[in-house]
Amino acid sequence: MTKFEALGLDQPLLDAISDLGFESPSEVQEKSIPILLGQETDLVALAQTGTGKTAAFGFPMIQKIDVDSRTTQGLILSPTRELCLQITNELKLYSKYLKGLNVVSIYGGASITEQARQIKRGAQIVVATPGRMKDMIGRGMVDISKIDYCVLDEADEMLNMGFFEDIKDILSNTPQEKFTWLFSATMPKEVATIAKKFMHKPVEITVGTVNAGASTVQHEYYVVGGRDRYAALKRLADANPGIFSVVFCRTKRDTQRVAEKLIEDGYNAGALHGDLSQNQRDLVMNSFRKKQVQMLVATDVAARGIDVDDVTHVINYQLPDEIETYTHRSGRTGRAGKSGISMVIVSRSEIRKIKSIESKIKQEFIQKQIPDGIEICEIQLYHLANKIKDTKVNQEIESYLPAINDVLDGIDREELIKKIFSVEFTQFYNYYSKTKDLNTSESGKDRGESKGGEKGEIPSEGSVRYFINVGERDGYDWMSLKDFLRDTLNVEKEDIFNVDTKDSFSFFNSDAHLAEFILQTFTEFKLEGRFINVEISTKPGSGGGGKGGKKRSGRKGGGRKGGNSSFKGGIKGGGRGGNKGGFGKKGGKKRSGFY
Ligand code: ADP
Ligand code: MG
């Protein structure tokens, strides 16, 4: 008896499961399937993203549905269109050996009459977003008055998105004597409220630690100046040639902008946000699934619940406003037992947010340095060497060999290797050898190291905004800090202005002509044994910082354009992808690379 059989599943499902290559149930499946099959009960199941919740409710629901009746018996509510489609697809795979089962998904942004038509043909299971569901109930296009089972999938995300009222409305159109199964990654107050209000003595199961990020995800943060965010993103991508990632931005505009810049710079990137047409979104998602798009730049709403295997990195281009959202973002990687990395690009003023995320997800972040140009060049070279080694020889080349040999006559192997690498590499190297260190030090102690590159950044006119690593915690308010600066620098009171103290650091302004002098004064400057660090601030909107300064990262391409296709990755031999104690698929889906 297989482990799935032991859960009480029937043959048609077992056959489908074996086709899918699922070897053994995941924990949430092991815990919920026997309960849902064995008793009629409400259920609250808390489990991280990527733990197999769809099958945890999908298998029992399919088994319990009467396929000979065309009445709608099961309703699954899920937050987004993408998730609806994903769930519907999965359910169809699970039920492939069950004749007569109809699963229909309804969601906004597509023809409502077409969806109504599909429902009319008889759908035992309806998968819906709350908005469209409510709409269709209102128009009498769907009847859920006889359902036996209602699933609230990704309940926390639905509530996050403000669907509480819609859900309440929808549930009031369902019969009293039905069973509700609620699945969620986290358990915020709102979810508890729903459970209390609409469920009767639910069985509760928990997998792993609630509110904790998946343990297969490593969390990293990189401190950079606000204006170096994009340059930092590029370096993170370049330092991970096989990257397959979701890049999160806070707004639709930033999402579009970052994606466009990446594409312009020669990366395989795409944008996913709510301002795109449904058609455009489908195209992007399809290319991403096929790994033709290596970096999917997305807003939180658009990327909710996306289940694409093998995402190697989640990059937080900007931190989300809500900590909960961070959990959802990082859950896009490390799925199905694989490992993943969630990277956060932060400015110094955001380091505090990292600390609060740490305490929320009960996992520590590792502070990492943005790799410098030379490091990236090394990584790329090594990657290229491996790629050459792994490339299958195209036999067509044979007939051209004599002529090629003529051209290359007299060049020995070593020389040839150098030349081949130079063809691919010089452009890349030229770009990176001229770039500066992007890291902003947290403590300020290694300021000396990064200073060289910043010289050119000093604006020559206007006012300059500075960062200083002392603040209210050190007993300063804006007046006393101003006094301290005036005394230390021996300048006039009005030379220092806009002093703005924060908890552990502060900002102030001076006229540009003092900038050189101020930075000089605070080089290696110690007060009571502690380094006091002053740097030109990149905090936006604070008056003048960096205006007229040299553009830092305006260069396009980084050598990626044109004949540089070898830098477009292709995941080979990377250490990732092992199933660390999770469940796995038989034969393991092979990652196809990005050619
Ligand atoms: P969740 O809803 O918890 O985020 P999903 O249901 O989307 O997770 O499942 C994540 C991935 O794991 C999917 O690709 C799914 O096909 C796969 N999966 C689910 N159950 C198993 C299993 N028992 N063995 C192997 N893979 C599984
Ligand atoms: Mg899910």
Side-chain angles (χ1 to χ4, degrees):
M1 195 154 77
T2 69
K3 278 197 163 178
F4 280 108
E5 231 175 315
L7 300 180
L9 295 169
D10 293 343
Q11 204 53 49
L13 276 166
L14 293 174
D15 290 343
I17 290 168
S18 114
D19 284 1
L20 281 163
F22 294 1
E23 279 173 337
S24 54
S26 68
E27 195 180 339
V28 67
Q29 292 162 3
E30 203 154 22
K31 284 185 171 165
S32 41
I33 293 171
I35 293 173
L36 297 178
L37 286 177
Q39 42 182 305
E40 299 290 3
T41 178
D42 285 350
L43 173 89
V44 171
L46 297 178
Q48 291 308 309
T49 43
T51 52
K53 292 191 288 292
T54 316
F57 62 75
F59 291 167
M61 182 179 276
I62 289 168
Q63 189 153 319
K64 289 186 149 194
I65 293 288
D66 175 8
V67 289
D68 296 327
S69 156
R70 289 158 67 86
T71 309
T72 299
Q73 302 154 52
L75 169 66
I76 298 164
L77 291 177
S78 135
T80 65
R81 172 184 187 276
E82 273 78 20
L83 272 178
C84 279
L85 287 170
Q86 214 166 273
I87 293 167
T88 307
N89 270 336
E90 290 265 314
L91 295 189
K92 283 182 176 164
L93 291 174
Y94 303 162
S95 61
K96 66 194 265 206
Y97 295 113
L98 267 183
K99 285 282 155 296
L101 179 66
N102 253 329
V103 186
V104 169
S105 45
I106 63 181
Y107 44 80
S111 158
I112 196 165
T113 46
E114 170 56 27
Q115 290 174 357
R117 213 170 49 81
Q118 287 185 25
I119 299 265
K120 222 172 166 188
R121 284 200 305 229
Q124 294 96 340
I125 298 178
V126 174
V127 187
T129 53
R132 178 53 66 100
M133 189 68 207
K134 196 181 153 201
D135 197 3
M136 289 182 77
I137 293 172
R139 301 199 204 181
M141 287 170 157
V142 61
D143 177 11
I144 50 167
S145 66
K146 297 193 182 63
I147 62 166
D148 302 307
Y149 309 102
C150 177
V151 172
L152 304 174
D153 188 30
E154 314 259 3
D156 51 351
E157 297 196 356
M158 284 200 286
L159 295 167
N160 248 346
M161 291 169 74
F163 281 135
F164 182 80
E165 289 302 320
D166 286 355
I167 292 172
K168 229 169 66 179
D169 237 72
I170 293 163
L171 291 178
S172 73
N173 283 281
T174 61
Q176 273 294 327
E177 54 290 350
K178 64 159 187 311
F179 300 97
T180 307
W181 307 339
L182 182 152
F183 286 79
S184 188
T186 59
M187 189 69 178
K189 269 202 306 290
E190 295 81 357
V191 175
T193 309
I194 287 266
K196 212 157 163 191
K197 228 176 164 130
F198 298 103
M199 298 171 80
H200 181 67
K201 293 199 180 136
V203 175
E204 288 179 26
I205 63 172
T206 304
V207 171
T209 335
V210 183
N211 282 342
S215 58
T216 46
V217 178
Q218 172 169 311
H219 303 268
E220 303 176 348
Y221 72 99
Y222 297 81
V223 185
V224 302
R227 277 180 299 166
D228 288 332
R229 251 177 233 279
Y230 179 72
L233 173 66
K234 268 178 58 165
R235 287 205 192 178
L236 291 175
D238 289 340
N240 295 281
I243 197 166
F244 181 52
S245 65
V246 185
V247 179
F248 284 98
C249 296
R250 215 173 339 207
T251 65
K252 295 179 206 169
R253 236 181 85 222
D254 287 346
T255 303
Q256 183 65 29
R257 195 177 49 86
V258 169
E260 275 173 13
K261 274 171 97 170
L262 285 172
I263 292 167
E264 211 175 297
D265 286 348
Y267 296 79
N268 302 320
L272 186 73
H273 57 72
D275 282 352
L276 300 171
S277 72
Q278 219 50 269
N279 198 20
Q280 287 171 308
R281 285 163 68 171
D282 285 347
L283 278 175
V284 172
M285 273 316 292
N286 278 337
S287 320
F288 187 57
R289 287 211 164 82
K290 289 195 214 130
K291 294 181 176 152
Q292 289 154 350
V293 161
Q294 232 178 315
M295 302 177 80
L296 180 72
V297 191
T299 58
D300 289 299
V301 174
R304 283 272 146 86
I306 284 176
D307 174 35
V308 173
D309 284 346
D310 299 334
V311 168
T312 59
H313 295 76
V314 163
I315 302 182
N316 294 264
Y317 185 76
Q318 294 144 337
L319 270 177
D321 292 324
E322 307 278 334
I323 294 175
E324 291 287 328
T325 309
Y326 178 80
T327 313
H328 293 304
R329 287 182 176 187
S330 58
R332 296 309 121 219
T333 185
R335 295 177 75 75
K338 298 195 179 96
S339 63
I341 297 174
S342 175
M343 300 171 150
V344 185
I345 303 174
V346 287
S347 63
R348 200 193 324 244
S349 60
E350 293 171 312
I351 292 171
R352 249 185 305 181
K353 288 195 193 164
I354 294 288
K355 305 289 170 216
S356 54
I357 293 173
E358 276 181 336
S359 67
K360 188 86 179 195
I361 66 172
K362 302 200 174 64
Q363 269 184 276
E364 275 184 27
F365 275 78
I366 304 169
Q367 185 184 358
K368 288 243 177 146
Q369 300 284 4
I370 297 281
D372 63 23
I374 295 306
E375 219 172 315
I376 290 171
C377 287
E378 272 172 22
I379 292 169
Q380 290 282 354
L381 264 179
Y382 191 65
H383 182 73
L384 178 58
N386 271 310
K387 199 178 162 186
I388 291 174
K389 187 169 150 242
D390 292 343
T391 297
K392 247 178 82 189
V393 171
N394 181 344
Q395 295 305 335
E396 298 295 309
I397 208 92
E398 204 72 47
S399 55
Y400 300 96
L401 264 187
I404 294 173
N405 272 329
D406 273 356
V407 176
L408 299 179
D409 194 29
I411 303 174
D412 65 15
R413 177 187 145 98
E414 194 143 310
E415 187 72 15
L416 191 61
I417 291 176
K418 284 184 195 162
K419 281 182 185 284
I420 291 173
F421 274 76
S422 303
V423 168
E424 292 281 357
F425 202 64
T426 304
Q427 232 186 324
F428 203 86
Y429 178 80
N430 284 346
Y431 171 70
Y432 269 119
S433 60
K434 288 189 196 104
T435 52
K436 68 180 190 79
D437 181 8
L438 294 182
N439 297 291
T440 307
S441 62
E442 188 173 356
S443 60
K445 277 181 193 147
D446 54 350
R447 173 181 155 68
E449 275 168 39
S450 60
K451 206 186 164 221
E454 283 169 6
K455 279 237 146 144
E457 312 299 323
I458 300 175
S460 51
E461 54 191 38
S463 87
V464 177
R465 185 79 164 160
Y466 305 85
F467 165 94
I468 183 166
N469 65 334
V470 295
E472 286 155 16
R473 193 184 289 177
D474 308 289
Y476 288 103
D477 60 17
W478 69 270
M479 275 187 298
S480 54
L481 184 61
K482 191 169 176 167
D483 287 342
F484 162 74
L485 290 167
R486 193 196 50 198
D487 294 346
T488 307
L489 295 163
N490 201 10
V491 292
E492 295 301 312
K493 201 166 184 153
E494 52 276 10
D495 284 333
I496 303 296
F497 48 97
N498 285 347
V499 179
D500 189 3
T501 50
K502 309 276 182 209
D503 186 34
S504 58
F505 56 88
S506 307
F507 296 98
F508 64 93
N509 278 40
S510 85
D511 195 81
H513 77 269
L514 283 173
E516 188 95 52
F517 167 70
I518 290 176
L519 292 177
Q520 199 65 50
T521 308
F522 282 102
T523 298
E524 306 288 330
F525 184 94
K526 269 190 185 180
L527 183 70
E528 289 161 15
R530 177 181 157 193
F531 277 102
I532 304 292
N533 178 33
V534 171
E535 281 179 22
I536 293 184
S537 161
T538 48
K539 192 169 172 262
S542 302
K547 230 188 226 161
K550 243 193 265 161
K551 221 173 158 194
R552 297 183 183 198
S553 54
R555 272 185 66 122
K556 274 179 199 163
R560 283 185 160 263
K561 271 194 170 155
N564 241 332
S565 58
S566 32
F567 292 126
K568 295 215 169 134
I571 303 177
K572 292 255 172 65
R576 219 180 313 283
N579 285 315
K580 278 200 194 149
F583 47 77
K585 287 180 185 172
K586 223 184 270 164
K589 231 191 270 163
K590 231 185 103 201
R591 198 181 275 159
S592 49
F594 308 108
Y595 307 103

